Amino acid sequence: VTHLAFEDPAENDMAISTRPMRQEVAYVNPPPGVSWDEDGPGLICTDLDVGVYFRPEVGGKILVGSVEPQCDEDYHIYPDDPEAVYPGRELSTLTDQWTNQVYRLALRMPSLNLPDSQSAQGCSACYDVTEDWVPIYDKSSLPGFYMAIGTSGNQFKNAGVVGRLMRELIEATEGGQDLDSNPLDFQMQRIPCGG
């Protein structure tokens, strides 16, 4: 995108880059007698002991992802073409990562019915990651262009806070505040339920 915004590359002051990283998640049915639909527990859990996170998913399913435990080999794939993860393309097939995630969830939910290869469900997608895995929330040198990028897929739970942060950052900058010499003092506040 920055190549399109700047005719002269010397004008681009973006010193940090992002790149796409393939990631996959699994979808499984909840254990018998457990409801994960809109009337279910609605919890989001990160289990560092078994190396997964899980949360309710559309259709009463459980979404399971990896927290990348140290015992796993590095399975990061940085495709040249991020669209290669789309259905039917070369990087869309579920891998051993899917199997590991589902089996690890079964360690916490012993009554979980393990899907067979015919009923495996999941998806792959690309996250945008920075070189140091720290997201960028800032203005650019292109007037009126702001960035909330490089979130590595782990910032979904911060979306409400990031939205408020970006609003304050944009309002301050557009109001004339030089954030490089006078950084934004962002105050975290509890977001009321439903707000």
Side-chain angles (χ1 to χ4, degrees), residues 10 12 23 35 37 56 68 75 95 100 104-105 111 124 131 145 163 167 171-172 177:
N12 181 6
Q23 194 59 264
S35 172
D37 58 18
E68 303 179 13
Y75 52 79
T95 67
N100 290 340
R104 286 174 176 159
L105 179 64
S111 60
S124 60
E131 297 151 3
F145 186 73
R167 182 191 69 211
E171 288 175 350
Q177 183 175 342

Side-chain angles (χ1 to χ4, degrees), residues 153-170:
N154 68 10
Q155 296 290 305
F156 71 93
K157 56 198 162 293
N158 299 332
V161 173
V162 170
R164 290 173 185 232
L165 167 69
M166 291 305 296
R167 182 191 69 211
E168 288 191 26
L169 185 144
I170 292 167

Side-chain angles (χ1 to χ4, degrees), residues 13 23 34 39 46 53 65 91 97-98 102 104 106 110 120 129 142 147 152-154 160-161 164 169 178 184 188:
D13 71 341
Q23 194 59 264
V34 177
D39 298 324
T46 299
Y53 66 88
L91 293 177
Q97 181 184 357
W98 180 94
V102 173
R104 286 174 176 159
V129 296
L142 191 62
M147 301 170 285
S152 311
N154 68 10
V161 173
R164 290 173 185 232
L169 185 144
D178 179 359
L184 180 68
M188 298 281 289

